[in-house]
Amino acid sequence: MNALLDIRGLTIDIDRDSGPARVVDGIDLTVAEGESLGIVGESGCGKSLTMLSLVGLLPNRIRATGGVADFAGKDLLAMSSEELRRLRGSQIGFIFQDPMTSLNPVMRVGAQIAEALVYQSGMAKPAAMERAAELLELVGIPSPRDRLMAYPHELSGGMRQRVMIAIGLAGSPRLLIADEPTTALDVTIQAQIVDLVRDLKDRFGMSVVWITHDLALIAGLADRIAVLYAGTVVEDSPVDVLFERPTHPYTRGLLASLPTLTDKPMSRLPSIAGTPPEPGRRPPGCPFAPRCALVTAVCTTSVPRLAPVAGSAPGHRAACFVTAGEGAS
Amino acid sequence: MTAPLLSIRNLTKEFPVRLGAFGERAATVHALDCLNIDISEGETLSLVGESGCGKSTTGYCVLNIQRPTSGSVIYAGTDIAQLDDDGMRPFRRDLQIVFQDPYSTLNPRMTIGEALAEPILFHGLARKSEIRDRLHQLLADVGLSERFASRYPHELSGGQRQRVAIARALACQPRFIVCDEAISALDVSVQAQILNLLLDLQQKYGLTYLFIAHDLAVVRHISDRVGVMYLGRLAELAPAAALFVQPLHPYTRALLSAVPSTDPRAARTRQRLQGEVPSPLAPPPGCRFHTRCPLARAQCRSDVPPLREVVSGHSVACHAVSSPTATNWEHSPA
Ligand SMILES: Nc1ncnc2c1ncn2[C@@H]1O[C@H](COP(=O)(O)OP(=O)(O)OP(=O)(O)O)[C@@H](O)[C@H]1O
Ligand SMILES: Nc1ncnc2c1ncn2[C@@H]1O[C@H](COP(=O)(O)OP(=O)(O)OP(=O)(O)O)[C@@H](O)[C@H]1O
Ligand code: SF4
Ligand SMILES: [Mg+2]
Ligand SMILES: [Mg+2]
């Protein structure tokens, strides 16, 4: 399989009054043609900024300062904003985390989807409206034709998210980047969206990058999962291997925090003590060291690199001196 | 029995909307239809159900953020559903909400510190000299460092904003909080931390929560009771333990069977609820679930099933379920 998206050594800095603060610190990620990659990680660890940097939509005062991001052989980070604009929608579908900030509040949702279609594929307006209704139907919105007239505030939270999903899929992209697209969706509709995306992937070879904190959802969708912590990839693994053999102590902590349908109600859930380092204030060694139960001397002085997990499946890598790579027991 | 903290009676909300390609037809969204629930002090009542079934609308109408079309909400002897903004003012501090969409509720021109200090100072809950400590405590409670006080909402990640919204609701030391998908954008470790915090506050101060969430494992974990909504009505209302062990309404059964699992193989073979989600623009007559229900019979197409208590504390709105044992499941293909 060829890599459709290949990110190497990506760094992103926030320009603070006190000087630049590094928020994404050398991320490597690849997504093959037709593959779906799930991304999970601590709130604030740089997932959204990483994805925004790929399509040239980083906010003011935040810049990608290093690395490359090859998409079908061309470096996205080196493209002009005009080139990126053309790519967005037609080649790369993007679903933003915050529907209320990316939908136009004074424009009816049908017109918004149709506008995207007209822009991306040069479709005529009436045909675009027709297609917009089909897309709303695909994402499970009842009475889709009637809902074309709704303003975003007239829709429920989950419906707004599905409008975003419809816009992301509108241009039949080769790569879909979805940033927490289903946080407001109940399990039945989530399942329907996951089926839809998997179907597009199987039929048209669409590649998918799906950011979520919902481990059960991603278990059913992703081929591989990358776990991010403080702006770096700390574990990267085929999906079934990750759940069978979580290796990085942060990944283990995440899985342990998960409430299940069999735990003791009202009990305290285990959570990882402490808080992640802030951008620009990361410790010298492993970024997880201050919160890690397995920390050793080397962890506080050197930065562990992503390395194969000894004795695990091929393609399972973790960045940890104790549980993976050189020095692992 | 002590009197409930909030009594919700026949709460109904309809939205007039325009339809058609040119907005030429007027229509009504039947978002909430005759909801009745008593919420006791110190309990966590959760609402679950399909996207668009009226959970957020319930939260808004209970707090009179959206004026209900009809019905009442009795709090402290007053029907707050009838009050205008001025009338609501004395109740606002007690009754807080964490909105589903935190971005739209935080003022983009206020720093996080200002946004959190505002309700504290407004309600006179701390002196100016104490405010700094109070802010740091609130931020620490939701897992954010004190440095966030000087940041603006747009400088935060999605999950960080959601935690600020939670801190803001807690800032005025309320008695009742509507948490509308309040933890849905958080990674599971921070989620666990917030759930622990909510449980702690409940134990210490007897806080009451109306908790809206789609994650059923979370709901099971923190709820005393769970209401399952379908298209603007309650389908089932039961103690959490009973609901997850013995769901009685056909819709609840379908919903629980759709819960994904972290086993990648199981996740790919789970059941789906069949049939179209009907539209709240034209809800089906009778039982609103009959178009998708494996047990539907003639009566279901014409008569609205009342919410009946079939076991102590466990109520179901279904013609086919008259007791926990007489549920006619034998006829069910599911
Ligand atoms: N416009 C901005 N200005 C300054 N800092 C920002 C800005 N946007 C994000 N940040 C900071 O950069 C870090 C990474 O943010 P990002 O939105 O990528 O996180 P995330 O991993 O998507 O988190 P979440 O899961 O909560 O959405 C956070 O600590 C955030 O506070
Ligand atoms: N201001 C409004 N104008 C018109 N219709 C509205 C308005 N607000 C909500 N609705 C409609 O009311 C119904 C219930 O919406 P509500 O937001 O309560 O759903 P929900 O259960 O919270 O869904 P979700 O899980 O997706 O957040 C939906 O059909 C929605 O489109
Ligand atoms: S009332 Fe009839 S249609 Fe409704 S849930 Fe019960 S059996 Fe199904
Ligand atoms: Mg994000
Ligand atoms: Mg809602």
Side-chain angles (χ1 to χ4, degrees), chain B residues 27-160:
Chain B
T28 304
V29 178
H30 301 267
L32 198 59
D33 186 47
C34 263
L35 190 81
N36 286 289
I37 311 183
D38 283 340
I39 304 178
S40 318
E41 176 129 44
E43 85 164 326
T44 302
L45 175 76
S46 289
L47 289 181
V48 300
E50 247 159 352
S51 172
C53 71
K55 303 178 297 293
S56 297
T57 302
T58 304
Y60 294 153
C61 287
V62 167
L63 298 193
N64 199 359
I65 292 167
Q66 277 175 356
R67 179 62 89 92
T69 308
S70 60
S72 57
V73 177
I74 312 293
Y75 173 73
T78 309
D79 182 1
I80 58 172
Q82 304 302 326
L83 300 177
D84 58 13
D85 281 355
D86 273 349
M88 274 310 288
R89 200 155 295 140
F91 299 100
R92 283 276 172 240
R93 185 198 143 192
D94 284 1
L95 310 174
Q96 288 292 316
I97 181 166
V98 182
F99 287 97
Q100 185 166 4
D101 215 322
Y103 203 66
S104 44
T105 58
L106 292 169
N107 183 338
R109 277 176 297 276
M110 263 192 192
T111 65
I112 303 307
E114 287 161 359
L116 293 178
E118 187 189 55
I120 300 178
L121 294 172
F122 179 82
H123 294 293
L125 298 173
R127 277 190 290 274
K128 272 245 160 60
S129 58
E130 300 160 345
I131 202 86
R132 224 186 121 92
D133 288 345
R134 183 86 186 101
L135 286 185
H136 293 174
Q137 185 56 46
L138 277 168
L139 286 170
D141 278 347
V142 295
L144 295 175
S145 90
E146 55 189 78
R147 272 184 296 278
F148 278 87
S150 58
R151 300 237 228 135
Y152 287 90
H154 75 269
E155 299 177 309
L156 268 50
S157 77
Q160 289 165 346

Side-chain angles (χ1 to χ4, degrees), chain A residues 159-173:
Chain A
M159 291 175 185
R160 283 197 289 262
Q161 277 193 328
R162 283 177 282 163
V163 170
M164 296 294 302
I165 295 172
I167 292 176
L169 294 173
S172 313

Side-chain angles (χ1 to χ4, degrees), chain A residues 229-248:
Chain A
Y229 185 82
T232 58
V233 178
V234 295
E235 187 158 0
D236 185 340
S237 164
V239 62
D240 39 348
V241 178
L242 189 86
F243 288 103
E244 263 159 38
R245 193 175 166 164
T247 296
H248 194 280

Side-chain angles (χ1 to χ4, degrees), chain B residues 187-233:
Chain B
D187 66 85
V188 287
S189 170
V190 176
Q191 230 179 53
Q193 184 189 350
I194 301 283
L195 289 176
N196 290 340
L197 171 71
L198 293 178
L199 288 170
D200 286 350
L201 291 173
Q202 186 164 56
Q203 265 172 11
K204 256 199 263 174
Y205 305 112
L207 265 176
T208 308
Y209 302 119
L210 179 64
F211 197 86
I212 299 172
H214 68 271
D215 185 329
L216 295 171
V218 167
V219 165
R220 175 182 167 278
H221 190 84
I222 72 149
S223 311
D224 296 290
R225 287 190 302 155
V226 180
V228 180
M229 288 182 73
Y230 188 80
L231 223 60
R233 291 187 188 145

Side-chain angles (χ1 to χ4, degrees), chain B residues 249-251 287-290 293-297 300 305 317-321:
Chain B
H249 194 283
Y251 173 63
C287 172
R288 289 184 173 176
F289 188 54
H290 82 248
C293 180
L295 302 184
R297 56 213 48 211
C300 307
C318 172
H319 293 303
V321 181

